[in-house]
Amino acid sequence: MFGLFSCDIGIDLGTANTLVHVAGQGIVINEPTVVAMDRKNDRVTAIGSEAKKMLGRTPGANVAIRPMKDGVIADFQLVEILLSTFIKRVQKYPLFLVKPRVVIGVPSGITEVEKRAVTDAARMAGAKEVHLVHEPMAAAVGMGIPVEGPAGNMIVDIGGGTSDIAVIALNGIVCNASVRVGGDEMDEAIVNYLRRTYNLIVGESTAEQIKWAIGSAFPLEEELTMEVKGGDVMAGLPRTMTITSQEIREALNEPVTAIVDAVKQALALTPPELSADILDRGIIMSGGGSKLRGLDARIRKETGLSVNVIDDPLLCVCKGAARILEDLDKYRPVLISSTI
C-alpha cells in the first residue's frame, strides 16, 4: 500500500542547485537553491529559478537569499521551506496521508551538527524516512561504479560550496579530503579580481557568466575574450570593458589550486594497494564545477594520473541517491545516517 501512494525521492541539496529525482519519473526538479522573501511581511515570494532572477536586483524589504553555504545549511527555516515546496510539488498524494522516503547527498566533511540540521529540515518538510549519504559515494553509485567491490575508485566531486575527494572501496570511503571551495568561491574570486585590478564592480550572476564563458584552469589552445558590464568604483557610473581568458585564469588560480591540493592530499593518504587501482583506473570527476575548462588537464598535469569527467556531472549525485532508494537493503552500508 505504501508504494501505491508514496514516492521515493532522491535529493542533491547543493549550495548552488537542488535536484530532485522521483522514482519512475527521473529528475523532475533542477533549480537554484535560492529563496526570495518579503522581509516586511515575513513571506516567501519565490523559490528556485524565479528567485535566482532576483539576486542582486531586489528593492527595499525584498531579498533573494541562498540558504545553503559551503554545502551546509546557513538558514534552517528557508531550507525547510525550500524542501517542503519541492517535496509537495513531486508528491502524488497529500503529505498528511503518506510521507515519502528520502535520500539526501551531503558533503563528506559534514559535521554531526550539520547532519542533524539536514535530517531535521527534511523531516519538518514532510519526509517519513531520511537517509544521508556522502556526495562522492552517491556520485559513484550514480555512475554505476560497483562500490561494494574491493577495487579502489577516486571520485572528485566539485559543487557550488564544497569539493569532495574520496577513495571508495568495499562500500566505504577509505580516505577523503573535503575543502569548502567550489563554484561560489570561483565566482567570488572573479568579482574580487575585477574590482582589485580594474575598479569594476560586478555581481555574482555576472561573475558566473564570465566563468563559464571564458574561465579556465589550464592554458587554452585559443584564448578567449568577453565584454563585461559593471559599475566603475571611482566614477560611480556604469562602464563596459573587455577581459581575456588569461586574466580570468589568473583570478581563478587560488580556488583551483586549493582543489588540486586537496586531490594530492587524498592521494597521499591512499593505501598502496588502492593507489595501484587508481593508477589503472584514473580519477573520475563529477559535480557542476568539474565542467570548468581545463580543470581535468590541470589535475592530470599535477598528479600524472588520467582524469575523466563524466557525462552530465551535475546529475550523478541525485541519480545515485535515487538508485540507493531503489535497493535500500543493498546500499544500506553506504549510508552515513538514517532516521525512520
Side-chain angles (χ1 to χ4, degrees):
M1 288 294 292
F2 178 85
L4 293 175
F5 295 100
S6 182
C7 57
D8 289 340
I9 300 173
I11 298 176
D12 178 4
L13 182 60
T15 304
N17 294 282
T18 296
L19 289 82
V20 179
H21 183 290
V22 176
Q25 298 179 45
I27 294 175
V28 295
I29 292 176
N30 181 358
E31 296 196 24
T33 310
V34 183
V35 178
M37 284 198 70
D38 181 350
R39 288 294 194 192
K40 187 175 181 180
N41 301 311
D42 197 26
R43 181 174 60 90
V44 172
T45 56
I47 286 176
S49 299
E50 288 301 312
K52 186 174 182 181
K53 294 175 185 176
M54 303 179 189
L55 278 173
R57 300 172 183 268
T58 52
N62 293 321
V63 290
I65 303 166
R66 300 182 64 177
M68 298 289 292
K69 178 68 175 174
D70 296 334
V72 295
I73 293 176
D75 190 313
F76 182 89
Q77 183 181 9
L78 292 186
V79 169
E80 181 190 327
I81 291 170
L82 181 137
L83 285 175
S84 179
T85 300
F86 287 162
I87 289 173
K88 287 175 181 175
R89 193 184 297 179
V90 302
Q91 181 73 357
K92 292 182 287 187
Y93 296 93
L95 288 171
F96 68 83
L97 288 178
V98 182
K99 298 176 184 289
R101 300 190 304 172
V102 176
V103 168
I104 303 176
V106 295
S108 60
I110 194 170
T111 66
E112 290 300 321
V113 172
E114 290 163 348
K115 289 178 195 174
R116 174 55 59 186
V118 174
T119 301
D120 288 348
R123 292 296 291 269
M124 295 293 288
K128 177 184 179 179
E129 298 180 23
V130 182
H131 307 282
L132 304 184
V133 60
H134 287 136
E135 287 172 349
M137 180 65 77
V141 173
M143 295 175 210
I145 292 173
V147 296
E148 69 279 1
N153 292 278
M154 174 171 272
I155 309 296
V156 177
D157 183 66
I158 304 171
T162 58
S163 294
D164 288 314
I165 301 94
V167 176
I168 293 169
L170 297 172
N171 281 325
I173 293 178
V174 179
C175 57
N176 73 291
S178 181
V179 288
R180 299 203 168 183
V181 176
D184 287 353
E185 282 67 26
M186 294 180 190
D187 298 342
E188 186 178 343
I190 293 171
V191 170
N192 293 337
Y193 177 85
L194 293 177
R195 182 178 185 126
R196 183 176 65 250
T197 309
Y198 296 111
N199 291 321
L200 186 73
I201 303 175
V202 299
E204 61 180 72
S205 296
T206 300
E208 185 179 21
Q209 292 170 12
I210 295 169
K211 177 179 67 180
W212 296 128
I214 64 172
S216 66
F218 199 73
L220 305 175
E221 290 185 7
E222 184 176 340
E223 299 293 350
L224 307 169
T225 61
M226 179 181 179
E227 277 197 351
V228 177
K229 298 175 183 177
D232 190 301
V233 175
M234 305 301 291
L237 298 171
R239 72 180 171 103
T240 302
M241 64 170 297
T242 300
I243 55 174
T244 67
S245 53
Q246 294 102 314
E247 292 175 297
I248 300 305
R249 186 161 57 252
E250 180 185 341
L252 293 173
N253 186 59
E254 187 175 337
V256 167
T257 299
I259 293 169
V260 173
D261 287 347
V263 173
K264 291 180 179 177
Q265 180 185 344
L267 286 169
L269 296 172
T270 304
E273 294 298 329
L274 296 181
S275 293
D277 293 335
I278 295 169
L279 190 61
D280 292 337
R281 296 163 178 258
I283 297 170
I284 306 171
M285 294 179 63
S286 65
S290 67
K291 296 191 292 182
L292 178 68
R293 287 183 189 86
L295 184 53
D296 55 339
R298 173 77 179 269
I299 295 175
R300 189 179 300 118
K301 180 186 177 184
E302 297 266 357
T303 64
L305 299 170
S306 64
V307 181
N308 304 295
V309 181
I310 67 164
D311 296 333
D312 295 325
L314 189 64
L315 309 181
C316 58
V317 170
C318 190
K319 287 181 177 178
R323 189 168 291 180
I324 289 168
L325 269 175
E326 289 173 5
D327 197 346
L328 198 55
D329 288 337
K330 174 184 175 182
Y331 288 111
R332 197 171 294 277
V334 309
L335 300 175
I336 57 171
S337 178
S338 300
T339 62
I340 300 175

